[in-house]
Amino acid sequence: MNTLRLIGRSYNLFDEDLIANESKILELVSNKRFLVIGGAGSIGQAVTREIFKRNPRILHVIDISENNLVELVRDIRSTLGYIEGDFSTFVIDCGSYAFDVFMQNGPGYDYVLNLSALKHVRSEKDPFSLMRMIEINILNTIKTIKISHAIGVKKYFCVSTDKAANPVNMMGASKRIMELFLMREGGAIPISTARFANVAFSDGSLLHGFQQRLMKRQPISAPIDIQRYFITAEESGVLCLMSCMLGQNKDIFFPQLRSDFGLLTLSEVASRFIESQGYVPHICESESEARAKANVFISQKQWPCYFFESDTTGEKSFEEFYTESEILDLTSFSGVGVIKSDLAYSEIALDRFLGQIEFIKKTNTWTKGDIISIFSELLPNFSHIEKNKYLDNKM
């Protein structure tokens, strides 16, 4: 499958920047000690491969997914082989006490890259998943930064999202809040981050769902009015590595827009994917028609599709990488833009946010409305729109 063709490009976004900076990146990575948190996800695996290729002295990867860690090792051994340094994986939750002990007794690290995240908009459908989102995207980030600083880490990287720019959903807002804490913690330890587009065919994404539906001979559904930027998994790894190794303190990297790097509707990508597999999209009038006639259409080399207008909570019709108030550097790199403005934050407001979260956790009775109120107090321009419909109610 030619992922680049499916997302409308013929080249890798960051090739020029890699060529121009490879010797510097290699010097910074070679013989250094790395810890990748959340390294078994699609982006984490891509970052791990980029570090591995440049011969680190230590490359440790932790994740809560035992199976994905196994596949990461098999994939690297089957393609890149071996390095002289120590490449090891550990099934550890970075929010656990076991992680604290692991860091205290480990070999020490020069760089810590945190790729762990709850990334789905659908996670805001209930107050319990929302609290886990806060714990992973915000509280664990603060915790792992403080531990990194305590053990002498030279640089901390944490992945953000384009949905943090003018957020309309709780996931994007959680990452925006995370960025504010990154700015604060950057006073103690050098930190950088990256906002980037949807990673095409990453685990759990809608495009990955297309692959699953094809394998299981099931209909494909997608909204016709939602537009997204897409990058490949390899590009996501390169962007994170560049931000970590080349970014200055508090820099936010993002893919720089070009004339042929534009927004695509999810239904358009679905049609391209179906055609790439040798089928013709057959547009159905409803989910029930697509399900009922799936076998008939597929036997005729037509794939049943249900394309619809989005009506669920948290869906932004288009994506953007930065806000109007942020200062941009668009000249240092060819394919990468850098947000140079130090995001404004209030120490009092951040501490109040943490106190409010801890308070409602202790009550054991928090609601989604409670969390939205706390988010909105810290982010006055947060334009959350509740539609009382969620992606779990879609095919």
Side-chain angles (χ1 to χ4, degrees), residues 115-129:
L115 287 302
S116 65
L118 237 61
K119 64 178 184 177
H120 284 286
V121 174
R122 67 178 66 234
S123 294
E124 73 167 81
K125 65 183 183 299
D126 67 85
F128 315 107
S129 298

Side-chain angles (χ1 to χ4, degrees), residues 11-125:
Y11 63 94
N12 290 310
L13 283 173
F14 311 124
D15 277 354
E16 290 183 28
D17 292 317
L18 267 185
I19 293 171
N21 293 280
E22 180 56 39
S23 60
K24 183 176 182 180
I25 295 174
L26 183 61
E27 180 182 357
L28 290 170
V29 173
S30 179
N31 205 36
K32 301 301 191 305
R33 303 164 299 169
F34 289 82
L35 174 67
V36 181
I37 300 170
S42 298
I43 302 171
Q45 290 194 38
V47 174
T48 299
R49 287 180 63 88
E50 293 299 324
I51 297 171
F52 186 96
K53 288 189 294 187
R54 294 170 174 85
N55 297 307
R57 175 152 57 101
I58 293 174
L59 176 52
H60 288 171
V61 183
I62 72 168
D63 201 283
I64 60 173
S65 174
E66 183 179 27
N67 290 339
N68 283 6
L69 283 175
V70 169
E71 177 55 29
L72 170 64
V73 173
R74 288 172 175 164
D75 180 57
I76 285 180
R77 296 301 187 210
S78 300
T79 54
L80 302 178
Y82 298 82
I83 54 175
E84 293 182 1
D86 173 20
F87 170 53
S88 301
T89 64
F90 305 85
V91 186
I92 302 174
D93 181 349
C94 69
S96 68
Y97 177 69
F99 175 80
D100 302 351
V101 177
F102 170 83
M103 294 294 280
Q104 292 167 9
N105 293 279
Y109 301 102
D110 299 301
Y111 299 92
V112 171
L113 295 89
N114 182 6
L115 287 302
S116 65
L118 237 61
K119 64 178 184 177
H120 284 286
V121 174
R122 67 178 66 234
S123 294
E124 73 167 81
K125 65 183 183 299

Side-chain angles (χ1 to χ4, degrees), residues 121 124 221-226 228 266 287 306-317 368 385-395:
V121 174
E124 73 167 81
S221 66
I224 60 175
D225 55 344
I226 300 296
R228 294 289 183 262
L266 296 176
E287 286 188 3
Y306 175 58
F307 296 152
F308 55 89
E309 291 189 0
S310 176
D311 61 354
T312 53
T313 297
E315 289 293 352
K316 194 174 185 178
S317 60
K368 179 176 177 179
I385 300 176
E386 180 60 58
K387 298 181 179 180
N388 295 311
K389 292 183 179 180
Y390 303 97
L391 290 171
D392 279 1
N393 300 119
K394 296 287 186 180
M395 187 168 67

